[in-house]
Amino acid sequence: MNTETMKTNSIMRNIKYGATLLLLFISFITTFAQDFNLNIHTATVSFGEITQDAFVTDFNLSNEKLKKEWWRYIKKHAVLDNKGSHHENKILATDIVFLSLVDESNENKPALNIALKKDNLSDSNVQRYNQYLKDLMIDFKVGIYSTIMQKRIEDDEKKSKKVSTKIGKLERSNSKLESSKNKKNASLDTITKKIRTNNAAIEKLRVELFAYQKKIGALKNDLLKIK
C-alpha cells in the first residue's frame, strides 16, 4: 500500500470517527430537549380511597429520583401528612390543602399527580388555589431540569477541557519533534512518522472537542429557555 493510499485511508477513518461522534452528540441533545416539557394535563386519579380530578405531569426520571426530589421540594413549602398511598399537604401560612402522589405505573416515565382538597372552598378560591398548584408543579419541574442540565454542562465542560489539554500536549510534542530534525543523528523517518501519528490524534481530538462544544452550546440555550 503506497503512502497516498495510507493517507487517504487515515483521513477517511477520521471523517467516519468524527461523523459518528457528532451523530451521538446530536442524538443526545435532541433526546434531552424532547424530554423537557411543562405540559400539565388533568386526569381522574385515585389517592387511596379518594378519587377526583387531578393535575398530572410526567418526567423522564426514575421513580425513586422523582419521589426523592418531590419530597425534598415540597417539604420546604408545606406540612406533609403521609397517608401511605399518598401525601396530604398543607401549604404553610395558607388554607390550601392538596393531595399528591408519584404514579409509578410507567417505570421509565413516572408522573406527579396533585389534587386540591375543595372542602368548604368557594369557587373563586378553588380557581385561585388550582392555579397556585399548577405554578407549584411548573416551579418544581423547571428546578429539576435546570439542575440536571447545569450538571451536564459542567461535566461536559470538564471533558472539553481535558480534550483541549491533550491537543495542546500533542501540539507541543510536534513542535519539539520539528526542532529535533536539525539535530545530529536525527532519524527523519522516525520523527516524521511520530508527527503524522500525533496529527492524526489531534484531528480526532478536535472533532471530539467540536462535538462537546456543540453539545454544551445547545444545553446552555435550552437552559436559558427554561429559566
Side-chain angles (χ1 to χ4, degrees):
M1 186 180 294
N2 61 40
T3 303
E4 283 303 315
T5 302
M6 289 176 66
K7 280 186 179 180
T8 301
N9 288 344
S10 175
I11 291 169
M12 292 305 294
R13 281 196 299 270
N14 286 343
I15 291 172
K16 186 176 180 181
Y17 173 84
T20 302
L21 266 179
L22 282 173
L23 284 173
L24 286 172
F25 282 114
I26 290 169
S27 174
F28 168 85
I29 292 166
T30 303
T31 301
F32 191 80
Q34 289 172 345
D35 283 352
F36 178 78
N37 68 75
L38 293 177
N39 298 336
I40 296 174
H41 64 276
T42 56
T44 303
V45 177
S46 294
F47 299 86
E49 297 178 354
I50 303 171
T51 299
Q52 68 176 78
D53 287 343
F55 296 121
V56 181
T57 189
D58 54 34
F59 294 78
N60 284 73
L61 302 171
S62 68
N63 291 325
E64 290 305 314
K65 176 71 172 174
L66 179 55
K67 285 193 291 185
K68 180 180 178 181
E69 293 299 330
W70 171 244
W71 178 81
R72 182 182 294 170
Y73 174 84
I74 197 57
K75 72 176 183 176
K76 297 176 183 177
H77 301 273
V79 177
L80 279 62
D81 184 5
N82 190 344
K83 301 293 185 180
S85 60
H86 63 283
H87 280 89
E88 184 169 304
N89 317 284
K90 184 180 187 305
I91 298 296
L92 299 172
T94 73
D95 58 350
I96 301 174
V97 179
F98 70 97
L99 311 172
S100 69
L101 64 84
V102 173
D103 181 0
E104 303 178 53
S105 57
N106 187 337
E107 185 177 350
N108 297 317
K109 204 164 191 176
L112 175 62
N113 300 270
I114 285 179
L116 177 69
K117 287 196 74 174
K118 303 176 184 178
D119 305 349
N120 303 317
L121 291 178
S122 65
D123 289 344
S124 60
N125 276 344
V126 167
Q127 184 176 357
R128 189 156 56 94
Y129 292 169
N130 271 332
Q131 185 59 52
Y132 175 89
L133 293 180
K134 287 178 74 174
D135 291 342
L136 195 75
M137 292 180 89
I138 290 173
D139 183 61
F140 169 61
K141 198 166 191 179
V142 166
I144 281 185
Y145 278 97
S146 294
T147 301
I148 290 172
M149 291 172 80
Q150 187 62 52
K151 178 65 168 59
R152 292 184 180 181
I153 288 169
E154 290 170 2
D155 288 346
D156 286 332
E157 284 177 337
K158 288 178 183 177
K159 292 173 184 176
S160 176
K161 187 176 180 180
K162 285 182 180 179
V163 173
S164 294
T165 300
K166 288 179 182 178
I167 291 172
K169 187 176 180 180
L170 288 168
E171 287 177 337
R172 287 192 296 273
S173 174
N174 275 356
S175 180
K176 289 178 181 178
L177 288 167
E178 288 289 349
S179 297
S180 69
K181 285 181 178 180
N182 298 322
K183 292 182 180 179
K184 290 182 180 180
N185 303 319
S187 173
L188 294 179
D189 186 52
T190 301
I191 292 171
T192 301
K193 284 181 180 178
K194 181 60 178 173
I195 290 173
R196 190 181 299 132
T197 300
N198 284 352
N199 283 337
I202 288 170
E203 287 306 311
K204 287 184 179 181
L205 288 168
R206 280 176 177 162
V207 170
E208 190 174 346
L209 181 62
F210 175 73
Y212 275 125
Q213 289 170 343
K214 291 285 285 183
K215 179 181 169 186
I216 291 166
L219 287 172
K220 284 183 175 179
N221 284 337
D222 283 344
L223 186 58
L224 285 173
K225 292 175 186 176
I226 292 171
K227 290 182 175 181

